[in-house]
């Protein structure tokens, strides 16, 4: 696992978008695993900007989202399908038929989950998985006590997650659907590369547990410590409780693979460093 700390949320999102763009550029037929949520909005805005300004090409990409609320269809503005269409798919040159989310309206949810796993396999697995982290440590909707070997399935959401996500539902946690379909922790761990993005003070405590705490199903994100190719990009606020901060800073400043990200056209354009 590699932890990279950037000064603020803008710089963290920019670095995440640039890393993801480089993966897309080097593998035209890339299979992307995608997340939703507030953290990703900025990352997707930047990817759209790179598409517009630098011609970042999504035409070969296949995408699989992590999760979808049960009972919300594609035209429901609270569904993750709607979110993805709004924030990314309709703004870049990706073919809609290559974009996949679990169907929260499926009559047979178990069959839908099995079929989703099969579809991921049929494309050769996920090359690059983008992740956020919930305040309860979830990745996807793998709430505490999710098996570290879990596969795509339906999952009840914790009250904490309902509170975290209620802004999109008029601020009322009771309006957040109680269940969702989500890729499992085991599914996520099979991606060839994983990039988790965390910003803001509200993520500091959970990030400490996920990165420097023991591997436990109480914090699903801690399972990423087992992943052979995992990068965490966070801002100073989310990193504020990490014990190894100095070392993580050193990595970004000194490791050759990060050197090309110390400057760049879009970063200059946005006044970031
Ligand atoms: C959503 C998902 C979730 C979010 C997490 C963080 O598809 O996978 O795990 O990434 O809840 O959400 P934000 O960014 O809104 O704090």
């Amino acid at each position: 696992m590699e932890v990279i700390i950037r000064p603020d949320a803008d710089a963290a999102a920019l670095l995440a978008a640039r890393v993801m763009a480089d993966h897309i550029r080097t593998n035209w037929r890339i299979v992307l695993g995608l997340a939703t949520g507030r953290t990703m909005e900025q990352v997707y805005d930047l990817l759209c900007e790179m598409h517009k300004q630098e011609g970042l090409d999504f035409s070969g990409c296949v995408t699989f989202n992590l999760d979808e609320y049960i009972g919300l269809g594609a035209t429901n503005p609270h569904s993750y399908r709607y979110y993805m269409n709004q924030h990314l798919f309709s703004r870049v040159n990706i073919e809609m038929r290559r974009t996949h989310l679990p169907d929260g309206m499926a009559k047979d949810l178990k069959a839908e989950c099995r079929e989703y796993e099969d579809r991921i396999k049929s494309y050769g697995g996920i090359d690059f998985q983008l992740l956020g982290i919930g305040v309860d440590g979830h990745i996807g909707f793998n709430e505490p006590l999710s098996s570290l070997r879990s596969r795509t399935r339906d999952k009840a959401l914790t009250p904490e997650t309902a509170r975290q996500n209620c802004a999109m539902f008029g601020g009322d946690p009771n309006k957040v659907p109680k269940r969702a379909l989500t890729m499992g922790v085991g599914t996520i761990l099979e991606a060839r590369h994983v990039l988790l993005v965390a910003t803001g003070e509200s993520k500091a405590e959970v990030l400490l547990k996920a990165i420097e705490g023991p591997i436990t199903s109480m914090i699903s994100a801690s399972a990423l410590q087992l992943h052979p190719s995992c990068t965490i990009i966070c801002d100073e606020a989310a990193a504020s409780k990490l014990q190894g901060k100095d070392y993580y800073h050193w990595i970004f400043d000194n490791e050759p693979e990060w050197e090309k990200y110390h400057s760049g056209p879009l970063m200059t354009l946005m006044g970031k460093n």
Side-chain angles (χ1 to χ4, degrees):
M1 181 184 274
E2 218 169 24
V3 181
I4 301 298
I5 304 172
R6 304 307 299 129
D8 54 33
D10 288 353
L14 185 51
L15 181 60
R18 290 188 70 199
V19 168
M20 191 163 158
D22 281 344
H23 278 258
I24 295 170
R25 284 191 196 100
T26 50
N27 178 6
W28 182 72
R29 299 180 67 86
I30 195 167
V31 180
L32 297 169
L34 299 177
T36 61
R38 271 160 297 176
T39 315
M40 294 309 149
E41 287 179 18
Q42 223 178 342
V43 177
Y44 294 146
D45 278 348
L46 288 159
L47 286 169
C48 294
E49 210 48 43
M50 288 175 193
H51 169 67
K52 228 163 61 186
Q53 294 188 29
E54 302 170 1
L56 181 63
D57 182 10
F58 289 81
S59 61
C61 297
V62 172
T63 68
F64 285 92
N65 265 78
L66 286 162
D67 41 21
E68 179 60 282
Y69 290 117
I70 292 173
L72 301 193
T75 54
N76 186 314
H78 299 312
S79 72
Y80 283 165
R81 163 54 80 178
Y82 192 92
Y83 171 109
M84 288 309 302
N85 289 350
Q86 291 290 111
H87 289 284
L88 186 66
F89 299 153
S90 66
R91 299 166 66 196
V92 297
N93 64 334
I94 195 163
E95 282 188 61
M96 278 295 179
R97 67 184 176 88
R98 289 166 173 266
T99 66
H100 306 271
L101 281 92
D103 179 5
M105 298 294 281
K107 283 208 174 66
D108 185 342
L109 294 174
K110 294 223 177 324
E112 168 64 14
C113 292
R114 272 195 309 273
E115 200 270 329
Y116 201 64
E117 288 272 338
D118 289 346
R119 228 184 307 162
I120 293 172
K121 278 196 197 94
S122 75
Y123 282 98
I126 290 168
D127 294 305
F128 182 96
Q129 177 68 57
L130 187 61
L131 293 175
I133 182 170
V135 283
D136 66 357
H138 71 214
I139 45 177
F141 273 136
N142 291 288
E143 301 290 39
L145 292 184
S146 289
S147 158
L148 302 187
R149 287 185 159 172
S150 50
R151 312 300 307 187
T152 304
R153 68 208 183 292
D154 57 308
K155 194 76 195 153
L157 306 183
T158 61
E160 207 170 5
T161 295
R163 275 194 298 277
Q164 181 197 295
N165 289 3
C166 73
M168 287 168 173
F169 293 83
D172 182 356
N174 294 314
K175 294 210 172 108
V176 179
K178 302 276 178 288
R179 293 166 70 227
L181 299 181
T182 180
M183 277 186 205
V185 181
T187 321
I188 292 167
L189 289 180
E190 278 172 15
R192 288 178 192 93
H193 183 76
V194 174
L195 171 63
L196 184 144
V197 189
T199 57
E201 210 186 323
S202 65
K203 301 289 172 70
E205 187 66 39
V206 77
L207 207 58
L208 168 69
K209 289 180 181 159
I211 295 175
E212 296 178 347
I215 297 171
T216 166
S217 61
M218 283 303 289
I219 304 286
S220 296
S222 68
L224 297 174
Q225 294 174 32
L226 295 167
H227 197 284
S229 181
C230 172
T231 306
I232 313 270
I233 295 179
C234 56
D235 64 355
E236 284 286 357
S240 58
K241 300 204 169 162
L242 298 178
Q243 301 292 303
K245 253 169 52 166
D246 290 350
Y247 172 55
Y248 311 146
H249 278 298
W250 187 92
I251 288 177
F252 184 72
D253 293 341
N254 294 282
E255 285 286 359
E257 64 170 298
W258 292 104
E259 204 182 314
K260 64 176 167 179
Y261 298 110
H262 291 177
S263 64
L266 194 68
M267 290 171 107
T268 312
L269 196 74
M270 297 183 66
K272 298 282 161 200
N273 55 41

